[in-house]
Amino acid sequence: MNVHESEKLAGILAAKGYAECGCEDDADVIVFNTCCIRDTAERRALGNIGVIKAVKKRNPNLVVAVVGCMPQQDGAAENIRQRYPYVDIVLGTRNISMLAEEIDKVLISRTGVKKRSDKKYRCFDRTLPEDYLTIDENTPALRTSFPNAWINIIYGCNNFCSYCIVPYVRGRELSRDMNAVLDEVKRCVDGGYKEITLLGQNVNSYGNDLKSDVNFARLLHEIDKIEGKFRVRFMTSHPKDLTEEVMDEMAASSKICSNLHLPMQAGSDKVLSDMNRRYDRQRYLSLIDGLRRRMPDIGITTDIMVGFPTETEADFEDTLDIVRRVRFSNAFTFIYSPRKGTPAAEMEQIPYAVKQERISGLIALQNSITKEISDTYTGGVYEVLCEDVAPKSENKVCGRTESGRLVTFDGAEADIGKFFNVRITQSRSASLFGRKEGEIL
Ligand code: 5AD
Ligand code: SF4
């Protein structure tokens, strides 16, 4: 989501005639697109903004903007205004399209400063009211991840999981018009993109707020009808909202990958309830059964959090137990980080050392499962979309199987955007290595 929003910011800048430059000292404008989902993300953003002070000193003409989730939190814009006086523009999540005009205002105010008493223009229009319900369809994204194209289908979140800041900083759910989404998919496919990832905090809510009777399954169905060879993935799905209809669409489609990211968060019913997730472990396990019954080779990934305030050792054991049962192909694991303004931040917290110990145990377990699953790929032939040249190795490229596994194989830059049959020759924890057996046209 954030990568794609940065692509939109880059699009706004490109439309104004700006081009990407190699280092911050060459820049006329620097935009920080921030995240505040965990304390580490926020601290990293603030640290990076702090570093720019020296750059601004060397180049007083520089325009510095801070945008996205972080300034949308209560009091955060004021904090930035005071701590970083060299920041010129602060915009929230729903008004990033104002970036172009705000840059103009800053530049005009600088040329117009005559008296010392005249204040330079600084924009701190961080928030828009929660009912600011419009979608900007005109901001052109400057896509940076060919052959993958990210496409927003729904913004915001209505779920209010008790640990999560997202509903507060991104507002309520707002779906894009289905035809606008379909047009964007077609444009990307016509432009040669081979993998479309549909984005939303909860893609399964797609359409709930629209007047028409479209839903996520219908959207998938319509996308599947678009001509051309391309793949479709989507994220994120909420287990309480994933329907049989969506699973049926996935299974019936030749374009939607057998791959699903289904955040579980915890394996204990008590913790899931305290998290306000509105499903229990039984529901989660039955979804996994439903998916595997329809798509035996499906790659399922998840998000898991440890150290939620009410998590006991026994609750954590329940998480390990469900991880053993499900056998995720990969898991993103997080230490719970209290977010000011959320209900869980008000609860009594558990010591950091306990959280650290739990996450180490969880990572060790998942690594062993990831490795075992990787081993089952060895010897087989899989369709792989070549997505990039492999980092740090010459004449190698990388891409993913339909199930989402990363494969490194022989190839060159010209292979990017092509599909190949690749025989897996070796596996190493989460990574697979293989040999091309021919292009799939
Ligand atoms: N602390 C730690 N992890 C969090 N996530 C969301 N909020 C928090 C938090 N306060 C994790 C969840 C979510 C992923 C995107 O980030 O696991 O699925
Ligand atoms: Fe946060 Fe829950 Fe919404 Fe996901 S579904 S963005 S975890 S509140």
Side-chain angles (χ1 to χ4, degrees):
M1 184 79 77
N2 285 352
V3 169
H4 183 48
E5 267 159 13
S6 293
E7 292 182 337
K8 288 188 186 172
L9 290 162
I12 294 172
L13 294 174
K16 274 188 75 61
Y18 288 99
E20 189 182 333
C21 63
C23 81
E24 53 221 25
D25 271 311
D26 290 340
D28 297 311
V29 176
I30 295 179
V31 183
F32 291 96
N33 187 19
T34 61
C35 170
C36 61
I37 191 122
R38 282 172 290 278
D39 187 47
T40 41
E42 198 167 1
R43 267 188 288 139
R44 199 176 317 139
L46 291 171
N48 285 330
I49 297 165
V51 167
I52 290 305
K53 182 176 183 182
V55 182
K56 179 90 173 197
K57 218 171 198 167
R58 291 195 288 273
N59 174 14
N61 294 326
L62 179 67
V63 178
V64 181
V66 176
V67 308
C69 293
M70 194 181 74
Q72 197 81 44
Q73 297 171 97
D74 271 351
E78 193 46 38
N79 181 31
I80 296 169
R81 185 209 294 271
Q82 285 176 7
R83 275 180 64 189
Y84 308 97
Y86 49 89
V87 170
D88 302 293
I89 299 166
V90 172
L91 293 172
T93 45
R94 283 201 174 158
N95 49 0
I96 57 171
S97 57
M98 287 164 60
L99 180 65
E101 60 191 90
E102 292 305 330
I103 291 175
D104 283 344
K105 285 190 205 161
V106 169
L107 294 176
I108 289 167
S109 81
R110 285 181 187 170
T111 57
V113 174
K114 294 196 177 71
K115 300 192 296 285
R116 294 194 108 214
S117 58
D118 280 352
K119 280 249 166 16
K120 276 189 304 179
Y121 176 75
R122 293 176 79 198
C123 164
F124 282 82
D125 186 3
R126 66 168 184 104
T127 46
L128 284 177
E130 282 226 327
D131 57 357
Y132 182 83
L133 297 179
T134 60
I135 295 181
D136 171 29
E137 288 291 350
N138 301 318
T139 304
L142 187 76
R143 299 191 183 278
T144 53
S145 32
F146 179 86
N148 303 317
W150 311 91
I151 297 184
N152 285 114
I153 63 166
I154 179 168
Y155 300 90
C157 180
N158 290 357
N159 286 320
F160 289 93
C161 300
S162 65
Y163 51 81
C164 185
I165 193 77
V166 169
Y168 304 89
V169 294
R170 286 192 175 266
R172 297 296 71 71
E173 285 170 3
L174 184 59
S175 300
R176 277 179 79 191
D177 173 71
M178 186 164 80
N179 287 324
V181 174
L182 294 175
D183 282 349
E184 191 169 352
V185 175
K186 280 181 205 144
R187 275 201 307 276
C188 289
V189 172
D190 290 347
Y193 286 87
K194 301 293 179 200
E195 187 170 297
I196 307 291
T197 303
L198 308 174
L199 295 174
Q201 255 73 40
N202 182 10
V203 288
N204 296 280
S205 298
Y206 176 75
N208 289 354
D209 58 307
L210 293 176
K211 289 207 177 63
S212 57
D213 61 355
V214 299
N215 62 15
F216 185 52
R218 167 84 194 286
L219 176 69
L220 289 177
H221 190 76
E222 296 301 319
I223 291 175
D224 194 52
K225 288 199 286 200
I226 295 172
E227 283 194 17
K229 176 152 177 65
F230 64 97
R231 286 175 166 180
V232 180
R233 299 184 201 269
F234 51 84
M235 70 191 306
T236 296
S237 290
H238 195 304
K240 82 176 161 55
D241 297 318
L242 177 65
T243 60
E244 301 263 318
E245 213 188 343
V246 166
M247 295 192 245
D248 288 342
E249 281 300 335
M250 289 176 75
S253 160
S254 57
K255 297 195 169 91
I256 304 166
C257 292
S258 291
N259 181 205
L260 189 70
H261 184 62
L262 193 63
M264 181 182 79
Q265 311 299 1
S268 140
D269 284 345
K270 183 199 80 194
V271 173
L272 285 171
S273 163
D274 293 346
M275 286 177 165
N276 192 30
R277 290 291 285 176
R278 287 176 278 169
Y279 56 86
D280 58 14
R281 51 190 277 134
Q282 201 42 54
R283 155 92 182 158
Y284 193 88
L285 287 169
S286 72
L287 286 174
I288 301 294
D289 278 351
L291 288 161
R292 292 210 164 119
R293 212 172 42 243
R294 291 171 176 86
M295 294 162 278
D297 295 330
I298 189 169
I300 302 173
T301 56
T302 197
D303 290 344
I304 306 173
M305 206 186 298
V306 300
F308 185 81
T310 61
E311 184 186 70
T312 62
E313 210 52 44
D315 294 319
F316 175 62
E317 284 299 326
D318 283 347
T319 296
L320 295 179
D321 175 68
I322 204 165
V323 167
R324 281 188 207 101
R325 284 173 196 242
V326 176
R327 296 179 65 77
F328 296 105
S329 51
N330 218 337
F332 298 90
T333 54
F334 307 105
I335 286 181
Y336 165 71
S337 159
R339 303 283 70 205
K340 211 166 135 228
T342 61
E346 303 299 314
M347 301 175 186
E348 196 182 327
Q349 305 294 315
I350 65 178
Y352 196 75
V354 173
K355 298 188 200 182
Q356 265 181 322
E357 202 182 309
R358 288 186 188 159
I359 202 161
S360 304
L362 175 62
I363 291 172
L365 171 63
Q366 181 57 45
N367 282 351
S368 68
I369 295 170
T370 303
K371 185 180 178 322
E372 282 166 20
I373 295 179
S374 293
D375 290 346
T376 66
Y377 279 75
T378 315
V381 176
Y382 294 86
E383 181 184 289
V384 176
L385 170 62
C386 177
E387 296 173 38
D388 208 345
V389 291
K392 290 186 256 163
S393 21
E394 264 182 42
N395 304 323
K396 297 260 186 235
V397 288
C398 57
R400 277 175 299 158
T401 62
E402 200 192 322
S403 62
R405 274 299 159 125
L406 194 67
V407 184
T408 302
F409 54 103
D410 293 333
E413 204 169 342
D415 292 332
I416 296 174
K418 295 179 184 167
F419 289 93
F420 295 98
N421 274 322
V422 177
R423 183 174 297 277
I424 307 301
T425 51
Q426 199 195 343
S427 80
R428 210 183 297 150
S429 55
S431 315
L432 301 175
F433 301 85
R435 200 177 50 232
K436 260 197 268 187
E437 297 220 324
E439 187 178 346
I440 304 170
L441 297 168

